Amino acid sequence: MSLKGKDLLSIHDLTADEVYEILDLAKTLKAKQKAGEPHHLLQGKTLGMIFQKSSTRTRVSFETGIYQLGGMGLFLNANDLQIGRGEPVKDTARVLSRYVDGIMIRTFSHKEVEELAHYSSVPIINGLTDLMHPCQALADLFTAVEYKGSLKGKKLAFIGDGNNMAHSLLHGCAKMGMDIAVATPPGYEPAARIVAEAKADAAKTGSQVIIVNDPLEAAKNADVLYTDVWASMGQETEQMARKRIFVDFQINQSVLAVAHPESIVMHCLPAHRGEEITDEVMEGPHSVVFDEAENRLHVQKAIMALLMGKK
């Protein structure tokens, strides 16, 4: 089994074995880094990093990761590329493919990433779109394994907007046999197609996919509590309205009280403390938010190594 040469656009495109392959290699690479052991699996390789959305964690983790693997990352802001001045995506894909060994893109339109993958001859990694955030969700699954030992039979509760983060977690949890309950205000549920895909995978793994409008119902007996900002990038004009609509969809002590006593709390960051999560919970003993953030580095190194490296 090898992911070499493949793209990572969505967790839905991966098999459960491929997800485990990523998580297993991430564990190995994390141990090597902690021990100070070199792991130059991508010696001489170059990763092109296209950013049409700003980032802290995505840029630093990918750029640091490719360096630690022995390669080099090229930061490509949309303003620095002809794609930002009207060059077709298919032209950019075919040109960059002749210069670099892999491309990571963080952008708005998921269709743009799919088009990039269609025309590229090197692996494409989805660093985030409005529809999906697979690298973050894989880091979340890795963190859950570190703290819970396994995924199958565990429960993750996502509380907030049915956004790209909810979509990737739906795909990831269902594929790995983990129950997932998503609680959103009415009208903000995850996309019906994504829910249907997750339910189809859940039927195969014996897990449950639950979509509700009550955060306490979702959080009941959850092993993992998860949230994200109420207004994502591109939704700034909705921010004030969303604050009113989402006011009850906050991870706080009341929500923590109905979860499993040994539950862990995750957030993909950046966090708006006092909105989707309280400062008390974020800084409390159940929070693994910063371990989760660190794990972006280790999981993305595994993704790059498997997609861009030798078999």
Side-chain angles (χ1 to χ4, degrees):
M1 178 177 59
S2 174
L3 284 164
K4 180 172 171 56
K6 294 185 179 180
D7 303 311
L8 176 57
L9 308 188
S10 166
I11 296 177
H12 187 59
D13 299 332
L14 301 175
T15 65
D17 284 344
E18 287 171 336
V19 173
Y20 277 124
E21 187 177 13
I22 292 168
L23 302 188
D24 287 346
L25 181 55
K27 181 179 179 180
T28 299
L29 294 179
K30 184 173 182 177
K32 284 183 176 295
Q33 182 183 332
K34 298 297 184 185
E37 297 177 14
H39 42 282
H40 296 160
L41 303 181
L42 295 180
Q43 186 77 43
K45 301 278 188 176
T46 303
L47 177 74
M49 306 183 300
I50 301 174
F51 283 88
Q52 294 182 319
K53 274 190 173 184
S54 59
S55 165
T56 298
R57 280 149 292 278
T58 300
R59 178 178 177 179
V60 176
S61 56
F62 268 107
E63 197 162 344
T64 301
I66 187 69
Y67 171 76
Q68 291 177 355
L69 290 169
M72 178 178 71
L74 294 174
F75 174 72
L76 305 171
N77 187 285
N79 295 330
D80 301 330
L81 295 173
Q82 295 299 331
I83 196 172
R85 299 173 58 192
E87 181 176 61
V89 171
K90 60 185 178 182
D91 291 358
T92 298
R94 287 179 285 192
V95 170
L96 288 182
S97 295
R98 297 179 183 224
Y99 299 151
V100 301
D101 302 287
I103 300 171
M104 187 284 299
I105 180 168
R106 180 179 171 93
T107 187
F108 292 88
S109 169
H110 193 75
K111 289 187 179 299
E112 186 175 6
V113 177
E114 291 176 332
E115 185 178 2
L116 191 69
H118 180 75
Y119 287 98
S120 172
S121 58
V122 299
I124 302 298
I125 301 170
N126 177 4
L128 176 141
T129 66
D130 286 346
L131 187 68
M132 299 288 177
H133 199 353
C135 292
Q136 177 67 60
L138 288 166
D140 300 333
L141 295 177
F142 180 67
T143 307
V145 170
E146 283 189 322
Y147 276 89
K148 296 299 174 184
S150 65
L151 299 173
K152 193 166 181 62
K154 301 297 192 298
K155 178 185 177 182
L156 182 146
F158 181 93
I159 296 170
D161 186 25
N163 59 12
N164 51 3
M165 203 59 254
H167 290 163
S168 287
L169 287 168
L170 278 163
H171 279 154
C173 290
K175 191 170 291 286
M176 305 312 290
M178 191 176 192
D179 294 341
I180 179 168
V182 177
T184 73
Y188 291 87
E189 293 86 358
R193 173 177 69 83
I194 306 297
V195 174
E197 289 171 349
K199 286 186 174 180
D201 278 338
K204 299 172 187 175
T205 60
S207 56
Q208 287 188 301
V209 172
I210 303 164
I211 311 296
V212 295
N213 302 122
D214 181 353
L216 294 180
E217 182 181 349
K220 187 175 181 181
N221 297 323
D223 299 283
V224 180
L225 293 173
Y226 200 112
T227 192
D228 190 8
V229 294
W230 292 337
S232 300
M233 278 184 282
Q235 298 173 332
E236 287 80 6
T237 58
E238 304 175 37
Q239 192 159 1
M240 294 310 296
R242 282 173 172 257
K243 278 187 179 183
R244 295 190 297 272
I245 294 166
F246 283 83
V247 68
D248 294 325
F249 290 79
Q250 178 190 73
I251 294 186
N252 50 35
Q253 290 296 337
S254 297
V255 171
L256 199 57
V258 302
H260 190 283
E262 297 180 3
S263 64
I264 56 175
V265 175
M266 294 191 193
H267 192 307
C268 53
L269 300 178
H272 293 173
R273 299 178 187 227
E275 292 183 15
E276 73 275 1
I277 190 168
T278 63
D279 191 73
E280 182 183 17
V281 170
M282 182 111 167
E283 296 291 348
H286 294 266
S287 174
V288 299
V289 169
F290 297 104
D291 289 340
E292 173 192 6
E294 177 192 334
N295 283 336
R296 286 285 301 276
L297 172 66
H298 308 300
V299 168
Q300 287 163 187
K301 283 163 67 176
I303 291 167
M304 289 187 284
L306 289 168
L307 267 58
M308 297 167 57
K310 297 177 182 178
K311 289 186 179 181

